[in-house]
């Protein structure tokens, strides 16, 4: 079945640092990759998504490009803020259920 | 539209008791999903409805778990004879926007269950 592997955390960065969280997957068919974010005490929020190969999803300064050749959907942000501290989940959807990675906790220090 | 809502937000119960959670999806969405999330893990799929029909159930959903969506709108998830291992966050999501090729799932805030 489909599976998602993402970078283990926690990741600790200083404000304005560059962020990369790696995500790779194995899948059959034509899945759609997503990134969700979970802020402390809150539910999952959709951060960005892609629907076809080479699509770039972007939102709130975060970007991820759907690379079919490397089966990856790495999350990047050029300059993180303290308010970006959260848990980030890479996910694979497009069928009746979404498969989630284990999550990567990000701490951003002022 | 206010998004997906879930009630209650928190539930504390004693082992052996029954509990029921409710999920109200985004109104125009015809698909509804239940997930379970334990500490430090990503959500795990439990079950899926398209309108009122329950089309898929995970092996995680033991006989003590039952979910319904009687009129194709809100859904309930019941756990009978709760066990301490049932303690988790129970998440509901919905999808089905007409223009959404990726069938994006939108999540509610979750119900945190603690079984003592």
């Amino acid at each position: 079945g489909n599976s998602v592997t993402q970078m283990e955390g926690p990741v600790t960065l200083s404000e304005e640092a560059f962020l990369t969280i790696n995500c790779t997957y194995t899948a059959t068919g034509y899945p759609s990759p997503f990134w969700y974010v979970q802020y402390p005490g809150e539910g999952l929020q959709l951060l960005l998504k892609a629907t076809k190969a080479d699509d770039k999803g972007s939102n709130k300064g975060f970007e991820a490009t759907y690379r079919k050749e490397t089966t990856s959907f790495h999350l990047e942000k050029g300059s993180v803020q303290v308010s970006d501290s959260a848990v980030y989940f890479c996910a694979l959807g497009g069928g009746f259920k979404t498969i989630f990675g284990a999550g990567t906790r990000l701490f951003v220090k002022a | 539209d206010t998004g997906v809502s879930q009630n209650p937000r928190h539930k504390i119960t004693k082992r052996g008791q029954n509990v029921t959670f409710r999920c109200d999806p985004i109104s125009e969405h015809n698909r509804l999903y239940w997930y379970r999330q334990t500490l430090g893990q990503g959500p795990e799929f439990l079950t899926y409805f398209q309108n009122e029909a329950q089309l898929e159930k995970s092996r995680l959903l033991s006989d003590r778990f039952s979910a319904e969506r009687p009129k194709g709108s809100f859904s309930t998830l019941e756990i009978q004879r709760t066990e301490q291992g049932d303690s988790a966050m129970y998440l509901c999501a919905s999808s089905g926007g007409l223009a959404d090729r990726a069938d994006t799932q939108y999540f509610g805030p979750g119900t945190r269950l603690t079984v003592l």
Side-chain angles (χ1 to χ4, degrees):
Chain A
N2 295 354
S3 67
V4 175
T5 303
Q6 66 179 101
M7 197 166 110
E8 281 190 31
V11 174
T12 303
L13 295 174
S14 298
E15 209 165 22
E16 299 183 3
F18 184 83
L19 168 72
T20 300
I21 301 178
N22 290 338
C23 172
T24 57
Y25 63 88
T26 58
T28 56
Y30 301 94
S32 295
F34 299 83
W35 278 99
Y36 284 85
V37 59
Q38 191 168 35
Y39 297 102
E42 299 185 17
L44 284 166
Q45 298 177 24
L46 177 68
L47 181 59
L48 51 84
K49 66 182 180 184
T51 54
K52 60 184 189 295
D54 300 323
D55 257 4
K56 178 185 281 188
S58 61
N59 186 25
K60 299 181 181 180
F62 291 89
E63 293 182 338
T65 301
Y66 182 12
R67 302 283 188 203
K68 279 198 82 172
E69 66 276 13
T70 54
T71 60
S72 65
F73 194 55
H74 305 320
L75 182 69
E76 296 182 336
K77 186 173 185 182
S79 176
V80 293
Q81 305 300 312
V82 172
S83 58
D84 294 327
S85 297
V87 182
Y88 293 82
F89 292 94
C90 185
L92 207 57
F96 61 83
K97 64 180 176 181
T98 298
I99 306 295
F100 287 85
T104 302
R105 183 173 294 278
L106 171 66
F107 292 103
V108 180
K109 302 182 297 185
Chain B
D1 193 338
T2 56
V4 179
S5 61
Q6 293 186 246
N7 287 288
R9 294 290 305 274
H10 303 275
K11 179 70 178 178
I12 301 173
T13 191
K14 293 183 179 178
R15 190 177 54 184
Q17 298 295 303
N18 299 344
V19 294
T20 300
F21 310 141
R22 177 179 169 124
C23 171
D24 287 89
I26 293 171
S27 56
E28 66 265 29
H29 286 177
N30 61 348
R31 301 187 191 95
L32 187 147
Y33 313 79
W34 286 98
Y35 291 82
R36 181 171 67 188
Q37 185 180 20
T38 53
L39 202 61
Q41 298 298 316
E44 296 173 294
F45 171 80
L46 292 179
T47 191
Y48 154 63
F49 290 85
Q50 178 143 332
N51 299 312
E52 66 276 9
Q54 187 174 20
L55 298 184
E56 187 71 23
K57 289 169 61 172
S58 164
R59 285 173 294 177
L60 292 174
L61 215 64
S62 76
D63 291 345
R64 297 184 297 105
F65 288 70
S66 62
E68 294 183 343
R69 194 183 184 198
K71 297 181 181 178
S73 57
F74 74 91
S75 175
T76 57
L77 177 69
E78 181 182 15
I79 309 174
Q80 296 183 323
R81 304 181 304 281
T82 52
E83 301 172 357
Q84 288 183 324
D86 297 331
S87 296
M89 177 76 85
Y90 290 84
L91 298 170
C92 177
S94 70
S95 72
L98 291 176
D100 185 357
R101 180 179 165 182
D103 198 29
T104 307
Q105 294 182 20
Y106 294 89
F107 284 80
T111 295
R112 182 170 295 285
L113 173 66
T114 303
V115 182
L116 302 176

